[in-house]
Amino acid sequence: MIDCPAPELHSHSRVARRLAIAGCQVDFALDCMTERGSASAEAAWLAEHLVAARLGCEDRTVRVAPLQPSGRPVAMVRGRPAAVHVSVSHVGSMIAAAACDSAGIGIDIVDPTEAGRALDVWFTPDELALLPDDDGLLRARLWGAKEAAFKAARLDDGFRPRSVEIEHLGRTGFRWHVRGEHAAVCGQGIFTVADMHLVAMAVAADAAEAVACS
Ligand SMILES: CC(C)(COP(=O)(O)OP(=O)(O)OC[C@H]1O[C@@H](n2cnc3c(N)ncnc32)[C@H](O)[C@@H]1OP(=O)(O)O)[C@@H](O)C(=O)NCCC(=O)NCCS
């Protein structure tokens, strides 16, 4: 998990970084939506900037749109599928996007004030015991990790939090495993903090590792 030079991104992006997660280069951006904007549209727009910067093409040639019926966002360049995976998240006025060309990517923003004990129904006793809750962020970490992992897995099943297992949890990273209806996917992830929110980012292991983890 090494910080690399930030990608060339639109100056509007408040945070724009390139990170290495489990050996995969991930570009991510965080921003606040405009006053009258739509969080979905602006998060997709942020993802389009990342894809354009990654591929070195013009922003206007890139579109990020939901694949139906799952809703998973996919990137297209001039109407053709782009060789870059994308993920977006929005909470309140915060929007975030991530892009990666070597692995499935998932990003999730969690407001820790909304990640209380009511979520415990989705966690196993083993998951709740993975890390002491010294800083009150245990549930935000577990929930963010599960949602980011679900997105990175690209299984296009419905989101079933208990089918996403968090196998290792640290303050800065996690390992995960998703049991889908037809396949299993595993991977790793990291956490970062921005504006009092926790941001989880997950990358899926490549196909060979995924077979090994199923
Ligand atoms: C993925 C999901 C858990 C995220 O919800 P959330 O944490 O409340 O919201 P976030 O803002 O963090 O993420 C929302 C984004 O996740 C993305 N997303 C939605 N479904 C996704 C999926 N299956 N895989 C990956 N990403 C997905 C979308 O880009 C969405 O943005 P949008 O609302 O602007 O379209 C939720 O959207 C979900 O449950 N999706 C599954 C829908 C489903 O069951 N579909 C039916 C059958 S397959």
Side-chain angles (χ1 to χ4, degrees):
M1 297 166 202
I2 307 155
D3 248 321
C4 300
E8 290 285 320
L9 287 170
H10 197 276
S11 57
H12 180 61
S13 302
R14 200 148 45 97
V15 176
R17 286 212 185 111
R18 176 165 294 173
L19 298 174
I21 306 175
C24 302
Q25 291 212 325
V26 175
D27 292 335
F28 86 99
L30 279 161
D31 209 345
C32 278
M33 55 185 278
T34 54
E35 242 168 58
R36 291 200 190 141
S38 133
S40 283
E42 294 199 18
W45 176 80
L46 203 55
E48 288 167 4
H49 281 291
L50 291 180
V51 173
R54 173 64 73 113
L55 296 178
C57 56
E58 288 179 54
D59 287 6
R60 65 184 175 82
T61 64
V62 181
R63 284 288 170 276
V64 167
L67 183 73
Q68 298 301 342
S70 73
R72 173 167 62 87
V74 291
M76 287 162 293
V77 177
R78 296 187 188 281
R80 291 169 185 263
V84 181
H85 303 291
V86 292
S87 183
V88 304
S89 182
H90 38 83
V91 168
S93 61
M94 273 185 85
I95 55 175
C100 179
D101 58 13
S102 57
I105 176 77
I107 189 166
D108 196 65
I109 312 173
V110 185
D111 178 350
T113 64
E114 291 182 0
R117 287 176 187 274
L119 290 177
D120 284 1
V121 63
W122 303 116
F123 306 140
T124 64
D126 284 349
E127 287 175 330
L128 286 165
L130 286 169
L131 190 70
D133 194 15
D134 299 343
D135 56 6
L137 291 178
L138 172 65
R139 289 164 177 83
R141 284 192 182 95
L142 282 172
W143 188 250
K146 283 187 185 242
E147 289 210 319
F150 167 76
K151 293 176 180 179
R154 295 182 296 136
L155 291 170
D156 294 330
D157 300 333
F159 178 51
R160 293 176 293 121
R162 278 188 168 261
S163 72
V164 184
E165 289 167 35
I166 305 306
E167 299 172 329
H168 170 82
L169 187 72
R171 287 178 193 287
T172 58
F174 57 97
R175 268 206 323 270
W176 55 272
H177 183 116
V178 181
R179 281 174 289 106
E181 285 167 30
H182 307 288
V185 184
C186 59
Q188 298 184 40
I190 63 156
F191 298 113
T192 187
V193 173
D195 276 359
M196 314 287 282
H197 287 67
L198 184 84
V199 181
M201 271 178 281
V203 294
D206 67 23
E209 284 177 67
V211 169
C213 76
S214 61

